Amino acid sequence: IGGSTGLLGVPPYTTSIVCYILAGAAVVILVVLELGRFGDVLEAIRTDTVAAEASGIRIVRVRMAVFGVSGVLAGLSGALTAGFLGIVDPDSFGLNQVNRALIGVVIGGDTSALGSLIGATILNIVPQIFANFSDFSLLFLSIVVIVVLLVRPEGVISRRLLKRFVRFVSKSMKRRKAVSASEAPSTSAHQARFLRSRPRWDRLQAT
């Protein structure tokens, strides 16, 4: 299919809106998975493989599932890239792209899909900010990586931070429901007193 010269003449079937929609859907699905039981299993395997296997987790099946999901997402992104650029060239996925992907994961966080998305966003925004100073963009990006590694080695958004945020939101929602439930009986009691006093008013009007 073109060999080392690549595949030319790919029809432009990919648009920016399609890329944004599919990327957002992929991030939402991955965040839901990592915040659930599957994410706890991955965290246990990442922390201690021996302890995870001793607790009954089938590590081989979990790794095969993760590898399969990663392959599907990588193939989807490659298909979108080919439809967007109109060409499939080996030079388009060289060492530079691999390094950029790794830097994005380091900045955003390797335990959260949302963190990786934020890291990739930062990685693409920095060269645009320093477009007039292209020689300093790599320097600034290196400083950002060093600061993140020193301040937050787990990345800007980790799975633990995301779970804390979700727990905070759920607690606040439960608190609001409890407050509204406590206010509801007082309103109903007021209506009941009004309905009890209404026959007296009707009798007074009748007389």
Side-chain angles (χ1 to χ4, degrees), residues 16-202:
S16 300
I17 298 177
V18 174
C19 292
Y20 290 145
I21 292 174
L22 292 179
V27 170
V28 170
I29 293 173
L30 291 177
V31 169
V32 171
L33 287 176
E34 72 186 23
L35 292 179
R37 185 177 180 275
F38 188 72
D40 296 334
V41 171
L42 294 180
E43 185 70 21
I45 295 175
R46 182 175 181 269
T47 304
D48 193 345
T49 307
V50 177
E53 189 174 6
S55 62
I57 297 176
R58 299 180 178 180
I59 298 178
V60 177
R61 290 189 178 182
V62 174
R63 287 178 174 174
M64 289 177 62
V66 172
F67 183 79
V69 173
S70 302
V72 169
L73 293 178
L76 180 61
S77 63
L80 293 175
T81 303
F84 188 78
L85 298 178
I87 182 175
V88 179
D89 189 8
D91 294 334
S92 301
F93 303 95
L95 185 60
N96 187 22
Q97 296 296 328
V98 175
N99 291 332
R100 288 174 62 87
L102 290 176
I103 292 173
V105 171
V106 169
I107 294 175
D110 60 346
T111 59
S112 175
L114 185 60
S116 299
L117 178 63
I118 293 176
T121 304
I122 295 174
L123 196 62
N124 290 322
I125 288 177
V126 169
Q128 296 179 5
I129 295 176
F130 293 90
N132 297 326
F133 305 95
S134 59
D135 296 334
F136 296 97
S137 62
L138 184 59
L139 176 62
F140 181 77
L141 191 60
S142 303
I143 294 174
V144 171
V145 172
I146 293 173
V147 170
V148 170
L149 289 176
L150 292 176
V151 178
R152 290 189 60 84
E154 66 274 11
V156 177
I157 296 181
S158 60
R159 179 176 179 267
R160 186 178 303 174
L161 181 63
L162 192 59
K163 290 189 72 173
R164 287 180 182 177
F165 176 75
V166 172
R167 195 179 299 115
F168 173 76
V169 172
S170 63
K171 286 183 179 180
S172 62
M173 291 179 64
K174 290 180 180 179
R175 195 176 298 121
R176 288 183 180 180
K177 289 182 180 179
V179 171
S180 61
S182 62
E183 292 177 354
S186 61
T187 305
S188 60
H190 177 72
Q191 292 177 354
R193 288 195 299 270
F194 175 75
L195 293 176
R196 285 196 301 268
S197 62
R198 187 171 182 178
R200 300 177 184 176
W201 175 253
D202 294 338

